[in-house]
Amino acid sequence: MMKKKYVFLIFLMSVSLFFSISCKRNKLRKDTLTIRTQAGISYLLNVEIADTQESRQKGYMGRRIIPQGTGMLFVFNKDQVLSFWMKNTPHPLSIAYIDSKGKIRNIYDMTPYSLSSIVSTGSVRYALEVPQGWFEKNCIKEGDSIDLSILNLK
């Protein structure tokens, strides 16, 4: 009987450790991103940085509320044509595809739960998702740029 208690206790400790490690692994780094319009106006956006395969795949999936003034910056290792969809994503989003120099190349609105691919028109390095309409509300357009210094690029 005592042996079963120890086995059960070890099992509970293992499960607890697994979930605590999983929670830490899924926590994204947060920072403040500066977006500069061609008119010289700067906007600050609080972003979560998705720079691992796991965090890029999960993105905003399952999140019902994404506050205005926040976003998620997806960081890729090389320039490429990017494609995003809204599978399991209930909140309407807008996405900006951004080249390796920080210039916004495309901006699109995306439909919740849609499986349609939203594809960049050329090779880009970053994607920025925000609540739908945020770019338009702040007059942010293709050709504007983001400050990449928060990524500590060399």
Side-chain angles (χ1 to χ4, degrees), residues 49-100:
I49 300 173
D51 57 1
T52 65
Q53 180 70 21
E54 181 182 34
S55 63
R56 288 189 298 260
Q57 283 179 343
K58 177 140 175 80
Y60 275 135
M61 282 187 183
R63 294 204 203 171
R64 298 202 175 283
I65 298 172
I66 301 167
Q68 289 295 318
T70 66
M72 186 174 292
L73 180 65
F74 295 81
V75 179
F76 294 86
N77 297 327
K78 62 180 182 171
D79 292 354
Q80 59 192 300
V81 172
L82 294 178
S83 177
F84 279 62
W85 64 354
M86 293 285 285
K87 182 179 181 181
N88 299 323
T89 307
H91 196 282
L93 300 173
S94 295
I95 189 168
Y97 288 119
I98 302 158
D99 70 19
S100 58

Side-chain angles (χ1 to χ4, degrees), residues 7-33:
V7 170
F8 183 69
L9 183 60
I10 290 171
F11 171 75
L12 286 178
M13 289 171 54
S14 299
V15 169
S16 174
L17 179 63
F18 171 77
F19 281 113
S20 70
I21 290 171
S22 293
C23 290
K24 287 178 186 172
R25 191 179 321 131
N26 291 332
K27 192 163 183 109
L28 300 176
R29 179 169 69 96
K30 295 181 180 182
D31 211 325
T32 302
L33 182 69

Side-chain angles (χ1 to χ4, degrees), residues 121-145:
T121 58
S123 291
V124 292
R125 178 82 51 102
Y126 311 98
L128 176 60
E129 290 182 340
V130 296
Q132 194 169 96
W134 189 86
F135 292 123
E136 185 176 2
K137 177 182 170 189
N138 291 289
C139 300
I140 295 169
K141 300 179 169 94
E142 293 175 3
D144 293 344
S145 61

Side-chain angles (χ1 to χ4, degrees), residues 95-126:
I95 189 168
Y97 288 119
I98 302 158
D99 70 19
S100 58
K101 294 182 180 175
K103 188 173 183 178
I104 297 173
R105 295 298 180 178
N106 309 115
I107 296 176
Y108 301 106
D109 287 337
M110 300 192 296
T111 304
Y113 299 108
S114 175
L115 300 182
S116 297
S117 293
I118 305 297
V119 183
S120 64
T121 58
S123 291
V124 292
R125 178 82 51 102
Y126 311 98

